[in-house]
Amino acid sequence: MATFLYKLGRLAFRRRHFVALIWVALLTLAGVGAASAPAPGTTSFSIPGTEAQKAFDLLEQRFPGMSADGATARVVFKAPSGEKMTDAGNKAAVEKTVKELGGGPEVASVADPYTGHAVSKNGTVAYASVKYKVSGMELEDSTRDDLKEAAQHARDAGLTVEIGGDALNATPETGSSEIIGIAIAAVVLVITFGSLLAAGLPLLTAIIGVGIGVASITALASALDLGSTTSTLATMIGLAVGIDYALFIVSRYRAELAEGREREEAAGRAVGTAGSAVVFAGLTVVIALVGLSVVNIPMLTKMGVAAAGTVAIAVLIALTMIPALLGYAGRKIKPAGEKSRLLGGGRTPKRPGRPNMGTRWARFVVRRPVAVLLLGVLGLGAAALPAASLELGLPDDGSQPVSTTQRRAYDLLSEGFGPGFNGPLMVVVDAKDSAKPKDAFAEVGAEIKGLKDVVTVTPAAPNKAGDTATITVVPNSKPSSVTTEDLVHAIRDKGAEITRDTGATVLVTGSTAMNIDVSQKLNDALLPYLALVVGLAFLLLIVVFRSVLVPLKAALGFLLSVLAALGAVVAVFQWGWLSGLMGVEQTGPVMSMMPIFMVGVVFGLAMDYEVFLVTRMREAYVHGETPGQAVVTGFKYGARVVTAAAVIMIAVFSGFIGSSESMVKMIGFGLAIAVFFDAFVVRMAIVPAVLALLGKRAWWLPKWLDRALPNVDVEGEGLRAQADPEEEKELVRA
């Protein structure tokens, strides 16, 4: 592989005009496609195989005009202080608003609060339910504008009016913090390279790669039902890995220049060596992201595949466009150790010949491996302790910022009707195989009324055929509580008994039940997913490192870092530690897809640092150094770059903590803290300590396995064999 990539790097360096033209053409094509495509909306949400989804599908068949998956809105009214919603003036204002709400072409139905018993017992709060014919993703902007305008008319009449439901779902905003993250990355690159031009190359190529990826996602959003979160995730991961991959190749290029190589040769060798590491690091990330499809949640699969595509683009750009841009830059890119004059180049160093920080740290770890190993493991173990209290759920309007109308509507409904009113359960009774459908409907309602935590059970509402009915159940507790989850399971247990007695099938659905089923599905998939991703990456790393213990150590270190990161997420988003600093306005359960998502993404990113750092050690060991000295050499050349890469990735991910959407905020924080733990504790401390303790055994591989594995030559041994012996002698003398 090193030889092929070496040739590719030299070709891109020589044919830089052609390479640049191809990438500019791809960016333009993707941009045109995005500009001409319909604007993406909120993605539809389906969970195949769950009871809640089966109930939705049954409703579509038996209640064809019901639009079970249609968007909904709850327009919540509150009377002025000292007044009631039943007062004549307030009632007239509400009825006028209800009439306005029902006028749109996409509106399926509007329930009047006064005829639908939707006024609170104390008379201060009322709500009108609006049902639409299409999903929230398909709603026209004009329909949303009509909804807002009707609410404003009621406000003008003196009422407090807020709107809940999914009809107003908007694209999340990340604010200026995302730009700050990129700015921090730029500063780190300038410090690392000592050159504005060298620092600009990774940023430029990363932005181009993300531009192509996100524009492609936008162009395909309508056709593939991709939501706004998909492009946010692709941007987050694409920026981070795009900068990092380019950083490693530019850094290796400067190191090759420092050894006296010609620029084209240096570009070829940089792509052949560091590029090989980029390919395998990218493969681990792609495996982890595409592997999310095993969970069988379409939304998660689409997010993973889209982000994996952006990572693949980042790898291709690093292998081709970076050497092309290096060709354009020419002598403006200085060899390693030299700075541009603008940043202090040409000055005499204060302490010439002093080992760099990476070398000094590696020597310290090699001398005291046991102490460093224990301190690192115990520190991560302490950070992981809160993960034992992990509670999972999916965000609802109660987790929105208090500045949003959805959150204020949620709070008003809780105030007027109780916390469970925001998450009603829909019980679907399929009595097609029952001899007495009406008796079955009545029995289901009676059984549910006798359960704990039930406030209201509406009478059964049958379809025209009379073989299926819906019953709405309002719990006493809020939607994301454990008590509500227990109620869902209790209804389903009762349903099994009713099926035996009457032949009718009882299914529980609604957004709350769907969230519970999603959480359970994700929990069930976590271990198989972990085994698949870690197993495939373990095999890949055996090929890369030609060792059994090094990949095993890499996987165990990853588990430590991801558990510690989950512990930090629980402490902030569930317990409320530092919640004000992170902008967390409402604590609650951790997003149910967070553990499996972090396993996938963090594993891929963690293996980036493992590949980049340890391949340099492997290269030194293969070329004759002792195991301890190889660790020091790996840190001498790799620690500064890996540190810069980690800081950049942390800065990019931290930029998304400022998002207005709780899911994006949590993902940004979780990934940032996971990279911090993995890069600075696992890879910089635990990895060298373990390698120092193992010595030569770290690179042990059974002979039969050595013969069976393909030789991918990540260390660039083939390039050394191809080199002119006289040239190598001159380089050694230099």
Side-chain angles (χ1 to χ4, degrees):
M1 173 175 285
T3 304
F4 169 76
L5 293 178
Y6 164 78
K7 293 177 180 177
L8 178 64
R10 294 194 63 167
L11 178 65
F13 188 94
R14 288 196 308 271
R15 307 294 185 189
R16 44 187 172 273
H17 302 309
F18 181 68
V19 171
L21 183 63
I22 288 177
W23 284 112
V24 170
L26 288 174
L27 179 61
T28 304
L29 185 64
V32 170
S36 59
T42 305
T43 185
S44 59
F45 198 76
S46 64
I47 313 296
T50 61
E51 179 173 317
Q53 187 63 48
K54 291 176 183 176
F56 270 124
D57 295 340
L58 183 65
L59 288 172
E60 288 289 338
Q61 296 174 11
R62 305 287 174 83
F63 294 82
M66 186 177 181
S67 300
D69 63 344
T72 58
R74 274 181 172 175
V75 183
V76 187
F77 308 91
K78 184 177 181 181
S81 179
E83 298 182 16
K84 303 281 188 181
M85 288 305 304
T86 51
D87 293 348
N90 294 334
K91 185 175 182 180
V94 170
E95 289 176 341
K96 182 180 179 182
T97 302
V98 169
K99 186 176 180 180
E100 289 182 35
L101 290 170
E106 293 183 318
V107 177
S109 62
V110 180
D112 188 302
Y114 302 101
T115 58
H117 308 289
V119 181
S120 63
K121 290 181 179 179
N122 61 11
T124 60
V125 179
Y127 70 92
S129 295
V130 185
K131 186 74 176 176
Y132 294 93
K133 300 174 183 177
V134 296
S135 67
M137 179 179 179
E138 299 168 315
L139 274 180
E140 296 287 344
D141 289 339
S142 59
T143 301
R144 293 191 176 93
D145 292 339
D146 291 344
L147 177 60
K148 295 175 185 176
E149 188 176 344
Q152 187 58 47
H153 290 165
R155 291 191 188 102
D156 295 340
L159 299 174
T160 299
V161 186
E162 304 296 346
I163 305 171
D166 61 353
L168 288 185
N169 279 354
T171 302
E173 298 176 0
T174 55
S176 60
S177 53
E178 181 182 345
I179 305 300
I180 293 173
I182 296 176
I184 293 173
V187 172
V188 173
L189 286 169
V190 170
I191 294 173
T192 302
F193 289 138
S195 165
L196 292 174
L197 181 60
L201 294 184
L203 282 175
L204 175 62
T205 54
I207 291 171
I208 290 174
V210 168
I212 293 173
V214 173
S216 300
I217 291 170
T218 304
L220 298 172
S222 180
L224 300 181
D225 191 22
L226 304 177
S228 57
T229 307
T230 305
S231 58
T232 303
L233 174 64
T235 302
M236 187 187 301
I237 296 178
L239 269 178
V241 300
I243 294 173
D244 278 7
Y245 294 164
L247 166 64
F248 282 106
I249 291 180
V250 174
S251 177
R252 187 60 184 257
Y253 171 75
R254 297 178 73 233
E256 295 291 340
L257 289 179
E259 292 185 7
R261 312 271 184 202
E262 291 294 329
R263 293 188 177 275
E264 183 179 325
E265 178 70 12
R269 286 179 174 269
V271 176
T273 52
S276 297
V278 166
V279 169
F280 283 100
L283 272 176
T284 59
V285 180
V286 169
I287 287 172
L289 290 169
V290 174
L292 290 170
S293 59
V294 304
V295 183
N296 195 26
I297 295 179
M299 184 189 76
L300 198 58
T301 299
K302 292 171 185 176
M303 289 172 64
V305 172
T310 307
V311 171
I313 292 171
V315 171
L316 292 173
I317 283 185
L319 297 178
T320 57
M321 194 169 186
I322 283 293
L325 293 178
L326 291 173
Y328 282 118
R331 297 186 179 278
K332 294 178 182 179
I333 303 293
K334 305 294 183 183
E338 295 185 23
K339 296 182 180 180
S340 64
R341 292 188 178 277
L342 183 64
L343 297 173
R347 297 176 186 173
T348 303
K350 295 180 180 179
R351 302 179 67 175
R354 187 190 183 198
N356 63 19
M357 181 67 75
T359 302
R360 298 199 300 275
W361 170 250
R363 287 173 179 170
F364 171 79
V365 175
V366 170
R367 287 197 304 270
R368 296 176 177 83
V370 175
V372 172
L373 179 61
L374 287 176
L375 186 62
V377 171
L378 290 176
L380 290 179
L385 287 177
S389 303
L390 178 67
E391 295 178 9
L392 298 176
L394 283 177
D396 54 22
D397 285 347
S399 61
Q400 296 273 3
V402 292
S403 58
T404 62
T405 186
Q406 292 94 330
R407 170 62 186 278
R408 292 196 293 266
Y410 181 98
D411 292 340
L412 284 177
L413 288 172
S414 295
E415 174 190 328
F417 300 92
F421 200 79
N422 282 292
L425 306 175
M426 180 180 288
V427 179
V428 182
V429 185
D430 180 6
K432 193 172 185 179
D433 297 329
S434 175
K436 298 179 179 180
K438 290 184 179 180
D439 293 345
F441 301 154
E443 184 176 343
V444 171
E447 291 287 350
I448 293 174
K449 284 181 181 177
L451 296 175
K452 294 180 181 178
D453 198 49
V454 173
V455 175
T456 306
V457 179
T458 64
N463 62 350
K464 290 182 179 180
D467 58 2
T468 307
T470 60
I471 299 173
T472 302
V473 180
V474 178
N476 188 44
S477 49
K478 63 181 183 178
S480 58
S481 69
V482 176
T483 308
T484 301
E485 182 177 348
D486 292 340
L487 175 60
V488 170
H489 292 311
I491 295 174
R492 287 172 174 170
D493 292 340
K494 283 291 183 183
E497 298 176 12
I498 292 169
T499 300
R500 288 194 297 268
D501 295 341
T502 66
T505 302
V506 179
L507 303 172
V508 184
T509 189
S511 60
T512 301
M514 182 69 81
N515 289 352
I516 292 169
D517 287 352
V518 170
S519 297
Q520 187 61 50
K521 191 176 182 71
L522 289 165
N523 287 341
D524 293 343
L526 181 59
L527 286 179
Y529 173 71
L530 187 62
L532 172 69
V533 171
V534 176
L536 287 176
F538 180 76
L539 295 175
L540 186 65
L541 292 178
I542 287 179
V543 174
V544 174
F545 296 129
R546 307 197 75 78
S547 164
V548 174
L549 296 180
V550 170
L552 180 62
K553 172 264 309 167
L556 293 176
F558 151 73
L559 290 175
L560 268 176
S561 60
V562 80
L563 284 174
L566 275 176
V569 170
V570 169
V572 173
F573 291 89
Q574 188 175 310
W575 292 358
W577 294 6
L578 302 177
S579 58
L581 180 64
M582 297 297 167
V584 180
E585 298 182 7
Q586 180 69 40
T587 59
V590 173
M591 183 179 62
S592 55
M593 67 176 65
M594 195 68 188
I596 199 165
F597 184 79
M598 283 187 66
V599 165
V601 177
V602 175
F603 183 77
L605 300 179
M607 293 306 102
D608 279 4
Y609 302 119
E610 181 75 16
V611 170
F612 288 126
L613 193 60
V614 180
T615 49
R616 196 75 182 199
M617 298 178 191
R618 166 84 181 165
E619 185 177 340
Y621 178 75
V622 167
H623 293 159
E625 294 187 6
T626 64
Q629 184 58 39
V631 171
V632 176
T633 300
F635 269 75
K636 176 183 177 181
Y637 293 107
R640 179 183 177 90
V641 180
V642 168
T643 299
V647 172
I648 288 168
M649 200 170 278
I650 291 168
V652 172
F653 288 150
S654 297
F656 290 85
I657 296 175
S659 173
S660 62
E661 186 169 311
S662 59
M663 184 173 83
V664 176
K665 182 189 293 288
M666 190 180 295
I667 289 174
F669 173 79
L671 294 182
I673 197 69
V675 169
F676 173 80
F677 286 145
D678 195 88
F680 293 108
V681 181
V682 175
R683 309 302 153 191
M684 290 291 185
I686 294 177
V687 165
V690 171
L691 290 178
L693 289 172
L694 290 175
K696 290 184 178 181
R697 289 167 295 184
W699 309 107
W700 170 79
L701 186 70
K703 290 183 179 179
W704 64 268
L705 186 56
D706 187 35
R707 290 191 298 268
L709 291 177
N711 182 14
V712 295
D713 189 22
V714 177
E715 300 83 17
E717 190 65 24
L719 301 182
R720 178 178 288 255
Q722 283 185 348
D724 185 345
E726 291 301 321
E727 179 190 352
E728 292 295 332
K729 289 177 183 178
E730 289 298 324
L731 290 173
V732 170
R733 290 193 196 103

